[in-house]
C-alpha cells in the first residue's frame, strides 16, 4: 500500500525554514532595501511604472509628474532609460524644452504600461487632473508619439487588462470630484478606445487594481475611494465583470468593502489559498489603518490584518525575502512618514520590517529587478523631493549576482497587480 504525504502545518514549516536559513547564514535583514543613491527626476512626481521602453534588455522608468494646480504650474512627464552601467538618463525626445521631451505638460496623476497598439513594444496610458487622459505610443526606441486623448475628468488612477477577452489591452480609469469611473475598450489593437461604461456616479475614487476576484476567468475591478468633500467615510467597491465578452461590469451588484478613506490597492494571493486578496492603504489619520482583505474565492472579502497607518498613498506586492509569499512596499505621504516594508507571515498576516525608507511625501511605487541580480528593487515617486531607487542586495551567501527571486514580478507590466 502506497503511503501518502502528510500536510505540514504552515507555522511548523516556517519555523523549520527560518532555522535552515539561520544555519546557512541567511537572515531577514539580508533582504532589506538600501538606497541606491540614484535620483531619477526631481519634479512633483505622482506616478511611476517600469518597463522595457527602448528594447535593449534593460528596465527603464516612466514617471508621471504634476505641478501645483493652484499656481497653474504644470510639469512634463519624463522617460528615464537605463544605461549599461545601471545608471539612468533622461531620454532626449527632440523637445524644445532643454533638448529633453516631457510627455504632456500638465497635471498628471498616474501611469500604466502595456502594449496598447499590439506592435510588440510598451506604450503608456497617463491619467491627468482636469484635462484629457493621454495615450503615448512607443516608437520602439524609448521615444513616444502622441496617441489618443480620452475623457476630460479629474482622473486619479488607471489599470490595464483584457476586459472583454478579445486579446488586446483595455483600460479602467478612476476619477474623483464626483466624476464616474470609466471603462474604455481597445478597438482591435489600434489604440482607438471606446468608452463603454461609467461606474460610481458619486465616487471620489483614488485607484484601481484588476484581477479575477470570483474565479470565472474574467478580470474584475477593486476600486478604492476617499472622502468626498463634506461627506463621511466611503466604501471601497468591487465591480464584477459580467463575463459575457462585453468588457462591462455588473453595475447593479457592486460589493462594498470597508469604510476608510483609501488611496491605493494591490491584489495578490496573500494567504496562500489560491485566490486573489487585497492590500489597501488608507490615509485619513491614525484611526484609518492599512487593511488586508481576504477573498473567499467568490469576490466576497473579509477584513484581515489591520496595520499601522502612516498616511499611505500606494502599495505594491512582491516576494522580497524569497520565502514563497507576497510582501508589501507601502509608499506614504507627509514628510515625517517613512515608506514601509511589510513582511508576510505566510498566512496573510504581516509584520513590520522596521525599514524606514525616506521621508519624501511619496506618491507611488513600482517594483522590479532593476539591475537583473535576481532581487527586487523599488522605484519611488516623490512629491517634494527627488525620486528614489531602493535596491535589495540579497544575502551574502548568494555568491555575488543572482539569486532566487522567487515570486518576483514587475509592477506596471502586470496591470492586474498595479494599483494607483
Amino acid at each position: 500500500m502506497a503511503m501518502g504525504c502528510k500536510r505540514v502545518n504552515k507555522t511548523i514549516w516556517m519555523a523549520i525554514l527560518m532555522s535552515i536559513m539561520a544555519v546557512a547564514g541567511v537572515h531577514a535583514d539580508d533582504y532589506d532595501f538600501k538606497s541606491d543613491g540614484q535620483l531619477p527626476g526631481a519634479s512633483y512626481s505622482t506616478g511611476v511604472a517600469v518597463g522595457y521602453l527602448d528594447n535593449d534588455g534593460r528596465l527603464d522608468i516612466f514617471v508621471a509628474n504634476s505641478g501645483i494646480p493652484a499656481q497653474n504650474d504644470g510639469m512634463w512627464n519624463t522617460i528615464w532609460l537605463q544605461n549599461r552601467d545601471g545608471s539612468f538618463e533622461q531620454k532626449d525626445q527632440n523637445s524644445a524644452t532643454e533638448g529633453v521631451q516631457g510627455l504632456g505638460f500638465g497635471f498628471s496623476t498616474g501611469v500604466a504600461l502595456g502594449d496598447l497598439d499590439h506592435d510588440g513594444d510598451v506604450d503608456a496610458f497617463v491619467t491627468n487632473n482636469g484635462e484629457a487622459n493621454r495615450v503615448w505610443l512607443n516608437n520602439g526606441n524609448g521615444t513616444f508619439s502622441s496617441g489618443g486623448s480620452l475623457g476630460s475628468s479629474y482622473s486619479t488612477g488607471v489599470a490595464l487588462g483584457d476586459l472583454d477577452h478579445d486579446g488586446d489591452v483595455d483600460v479602467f480609469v478612476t476619477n474623483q470630484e464626483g466624476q464616474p469611473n470609466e471603462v474604455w475598450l481597445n478597438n482591435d489593437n489600434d489604440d482607438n478606445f471606446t468608452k463603454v461604461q461609467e461606474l460610481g456616479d458619486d465616487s471620489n475614487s483614488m485607484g484601481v487594481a484588476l484581477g479575477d476576484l470570483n474565479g470565472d476567468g474574467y478580470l474584475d475591478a477593486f476600486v478604492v475611494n476617499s472622502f468626498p468633500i463634506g461627506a463621511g467615510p466611503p466604501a471601497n467597491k468591487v465591480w464584477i465583470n459580467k463575463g459575457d465578452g462585453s468588457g462591462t461590469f455588473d453595475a447593479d451588484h457592486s460589493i462594498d468593502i470597508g469604510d476608510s478613506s483609501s488611496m491605493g490597492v494591490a491584489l495578490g494571493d496573500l494567504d496562500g489559498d489560491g485566490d486573489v486578496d487585497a492590500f489597501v492603504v488608507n490615509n485619513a489619520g491614525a484611526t484609518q489603518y492599512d487593511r488586508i482583505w481576504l477573498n473567499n474565492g467568490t469576490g466576497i472579502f473579509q477584513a484581515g490584518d489591520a496595520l499601522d497607518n502612516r498616511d499611505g498613498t500606494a502599495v505594491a506586492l512582491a516576494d522580497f525575502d524569497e520565502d514563497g509569499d507576497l510582501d508589501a512596499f507601502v509608499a506614504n505621504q507627509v514628510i515625517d512618514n517613512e515608506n514601509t516594508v511589510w513582511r508576510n507571515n505566510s498566512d496573510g498576516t504581516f509584520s513590520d520590517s522596521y525599514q524606514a525608507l525616506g521621508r519624501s511625501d511619496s506618491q507611488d511605487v513600482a517594483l522590479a529587478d532593476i539591475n537583473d541580480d535576481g532581487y527586487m528593487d523599488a522605484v519611488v515617486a516623490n512629491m517634494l523631493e527627488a525620486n528614489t531607487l531602493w535596491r535589495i542586495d540579497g544575502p551574502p551567501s548568494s555568491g555575488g549576482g543572482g539569486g532566487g527571486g522567487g515570486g518576483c514580478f514587475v509592477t506596471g507590466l502586470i496591470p492586474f497587480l498595479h494599483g494607483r
Side-chain angles (χ1 to χ4, degrees), residues 24 32 42 49 52 72 169 183 193 244 256 279 314 321 325 374 385 411 415:
D32 284 356
Y52 296 101
N72 196 30
V169 180
V183 178
F193 291 84
D244 58 3
D256 289 353
F279 193 120
D321 51 9
D325 53 38
E385 296 181 7
T411 315

Side-chain angles (χ1 to χ4, degrees), residues 206-210 222-224 236 262-267 277-281 293 313-317 416-420:
M206 304 305 296
V208 57
L210 300 177
F222 194 117
V223 175
V224 289
N236 299 319
S262 301
M263 296 294 290
V265 57
L267 300 180
D277 309 303
F279 193 120
V280 175
V281 293
W293 292 93
T313 53
V315 56
L317 303 175
F416 154 156
L417 294 173
H418 191 284
R420 186 167 175 267

Side-chain angles (χ1 to χ4, degrees), residues 11 44 68 105 188:
T11 303
Y44 286 81
I68 305 174
F105 186 86
D188 301 321

Side-chain angles (χ1 to χ4, degrees), residues 376-399:
M376 190 56 56
D377 309 303
V379 184
V380 178
N382 299 315
M383 179 61 74
L384 299 181
E385 296 181 7
N387 302 321
T388 311
L389 176 58
W390 299 91
R391 295 192 190 275
I392 293 179
D393 292 331
S397 59
S398 64

Side-chain angles (χ1 to χ4, degrees), residues 75-130:
M75 294 282 182
W76 294 100
N77 301 317
T78 52
I79 307 298
W80 296 86
L81 299 183
Q82 186 174 178
N83 298 315
R84 291 181 182 274
D85 62 0
S87 63
F88 287 87
E89 183 177 355
Q90 191 172 348
K91 179 63 178 177
D92 183 348
Q93 303 207 20
N94 299 317
S95 170
T97 305
E98 299 179 357
V100 178
Q101 182 190 10
L103 300 177
F105 186 86
F107 306 97
S108 297
T109 57
V111 57
L113 300 179
D115 187 0
L116 300 178
D117 55 2
H118 204 62
D119 64 351
D121 53 34
V122 179
D123 310 304
F125 191 106
V126 176
T127 53
N128 296 308
N129 186 343

Side-chain angles (χ1 to χ4, degrees), residues 81-208:
L81 299 183
Q82 186 174 178
N83 298 315
R84 291 181 182 274
D85 62 0
S87 63
F88 287 87
E89 183 177 355
Q90 191 172 348
K91 179 63 178 177
D92 183 348
Q93 303 207 20
N94 299 317
S95 170
T97 305
E98 299 179 357
V100 178
Q101 182 190 10
L103 300 177
F105 186 86
F107 306 97
S108 297
T109 57
V111 57
L113 300 179
D115 187 0
L116 300 178
D117 55 2
H118 204 62
D119 64 351
D121 53 34
V122 179
D123 310 304
F125 191 106
V126 176
T127 53
N128 296 308
N129 186 343
E131 57 185 307
N133 301 319
R134 297 291 296 274
V135 173
W136 294 97
L137 299 178
N138 196 332
N139 298 317
N141 61 356
T143 65
F144 288 76
S145 299
S146 179
S149 298
L150 306 178
S152 58
S153 300
Y154 291 88
S155 297
T156 54
V158 57
L160 306 180
D162 186 2
L163 300 177
D164 54 0
H165 273 207
D166 66 349
D168 54 30
V169 180
D170 308 306
V171 182
F172 193 115
V173 176
T174 55
N175 298 311
Q176 62 178 346
E177 302 293 340
Q179 300 292 319
N181 303 317
E182 299 168 336
V183 178
W184 296 83
L185 295 186
N186 194 331
N187 297 320
D188 301 321
N189 293 305
D190 63 0
D191 76 84
N192 180 21
F193 291 84
T194 300
K195 183 167 66 174
V196 296
Q197 192 173 27
E198 296 182 343
L199 296 167
D201 292 340
D202 58 350
S203 298
N204 198 58
S205 299
M206 304 305 296
V208 57

